[in-house]
């Protein structure tokens, strides 16, 4: 099930798409525990942030709490995109179309973007809370 | 369609570089962790503790270095795919990305397991002391 008009752009015949799907399947197998861990990290951050807010009503504590909740939200969103990527990989290994590959590249971009945001959030949060 | 895909690929490389810098920093920190026990021998002359500290530090240094290398190769292969649009490069990029996630996943799981074991050990010590 291939779309010939897009094959010119991607030269899918250059590599066995079956092999590609196998690599993709293996990738998603290892990405799944990471997405679960990312989600757990996010939830732990959000709970800690809420604990900050409940604990004290000082402006400083509220700011701390909001920063921590924000970092948690970034991690949860990173986990969401990781899961989307995993789901699309499963679809790709079933249908194997050029459109699937296009969308897959897009999901890969979102996955790395949100992972980078989470990492930046962690660093900025650590610096701010250190100050 | 091709322009849009190239845009996504360019952006992917950009964000991957950000993550690469982050892991590079962790790598440098683990290097310090590996050599720190030489200068700071945990308040005594216990060779066992010194070797254990160096083993943990050295292990995470090697492991993180491997993760950084796989991510770097992933970026290079993605660049290759962007230039050639040959699926073989995309397959190569995914292979490196798989290795990146695999080793990241393993090091995180080992970290969690060690933390749980350490916590249980401290709990036992605490219970024993009381």
């Amino acid at each position: 099930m291939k779309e010939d008009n897009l094959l010119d752009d991607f030269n899918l015949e250059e590599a066995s798409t079956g092999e590609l799907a196998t690599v993709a399947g293996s990738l998603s197998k290892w990405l799944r525990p990471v997405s679960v861990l990312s989600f757990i990290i996010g939830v732990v951050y959000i709970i800690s942030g809420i604990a900050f807010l409940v604990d004290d009503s000082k402006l400083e504590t509220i700011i701390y709490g909001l920063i921590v909740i924000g970092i948690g939200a970034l991690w949860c969103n990173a986990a969401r995109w990781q899961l989307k990527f995993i789901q699309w990989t499963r679809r790709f290994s079933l249908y194997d179309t050029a459109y699937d590959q296009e969308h897959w590249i897009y999901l890969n971009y979102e996955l790395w973007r949100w992972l980078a945001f989470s990492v930046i959030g962690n660093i900025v949060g650590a610096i701010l809370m250190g100050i | 369609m091709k322009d849009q895909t190239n845009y996504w690929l360019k952006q992917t490389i950009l964000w991957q570089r950000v993550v690469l810098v982050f892991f590079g920093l962790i790598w440098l920190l683990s290097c310090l962790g590996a050599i720190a026990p030489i200068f700071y021998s945990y308040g005594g002359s216990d060779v066992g503790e010194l070797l254990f500290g160096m083993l943990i530090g050295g292990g995470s240094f090697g492991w993180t270095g491997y993760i950084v290398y796989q991510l770097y190769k992933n970026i290079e292969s993605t660049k290759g795919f962007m230039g050639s649009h040959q699926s073989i490069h995309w397959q190569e990029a995914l292979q490196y990305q798989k290795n990146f996630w695999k080793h990241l996943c393993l090091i995180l799981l080992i970290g969690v397991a060690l933390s749980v074991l350490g916590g249980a050990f401290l709990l036992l010590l605490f219970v024993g002391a009381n």
Side-chain angles (χ1 to χ4, degrees), chain A residues 38-53:
Chain A
S38 301
F39 185 69
I40 291 170
I41 292 170
V43 169
V44 169
Y45 265 118
I46 289 172
I47 291 171
S48 312
I50 292 169
F52 265 118
L53 294 181

Side-chain angles (χ1 to χ4, degrees), chain B residues 12-32:
Chain B
T12 304
I13 290 169
L14 170 78
W15 296 116
Q16 278 182 326
R17 281 186 177 146
V18 172
V19 178
L20 184 75
V21 169
F22 176 73
F23 277 98
L25 286 172
I26 293 178
W27 186 47
L28 289 176
L29 283 175
S30 63
C31 174
L32 289 176

Side-chain angles (χ1 to χ4, degrees), chain A:
Chain A
M1 194 176 160
K2 290 174 183 172
E3 294 162 12
D4 289 337
N5 57 331
L6 288 172
L7 281 182
D8 294 339
D9 286 346
F10 286 102
N11 292 328
L12 279 175
E13 69 275 16
E14 289 290 325
S16 156
T17 47
E19 278 175 41
L20 200 63
T22 310
V23 176
S26 183
L27 189 155
S28 62
K29 185 185 84 179
W30 287 108
L31 187 56
R32 195 179 295 272
V34 177
S35 70
V36 172
L37 279 171
S38 301
F39 185 69
I40 291 170
I41 292 170
V43 169
V44 169
Y45 265 118
I46 289 172
I47 291 171
S48 312
I50 292 169
F52 265 118
L53 294 181
V54 172
D55 187 49
D56 203 343
S57 57
K58 273 196 294 187
L59 182 65
E60 195 180 294
T61 319
I62 290 170
I63 292 169
Y64 273 6
L66 290 176
I67 289 171
V68 174
I69 289 173
I71 296 169
L74 284 174
W75 277 108
C76 284
N77 202 30
R80 189 171 74 95
W81 283 105
Q82 284 163 3
L83 280 174
K84 278 191 177 195
F85 183 78
I86 291 166
Q87 280 170 349
W88 202 267
T89 305
R90 198 182 298 152
R91 183 193 149 108
F92 177 77
S93 45
L94 285 175
Y95 301 112
D96 210 359
T97 66
Y99 166 71
D100 287 336
Q101 196 181 33
E102 284 263 341
H103 193 68
W104 206 24
I105 289 167
Y106 164 70
L107 288 176
N108 191 41
Y109 148 69
E110 290 285 6
L111 182 154
W112 283 100
R113 185 161 74 117
W114 286 102
L115 184 69
F117 280 161
S118 306
V119 161
I120 293 169
N122 254 53
I123 296 171
V124 172
I127 293 169
L128 284 176
M129 289 176 85
I131 293 167

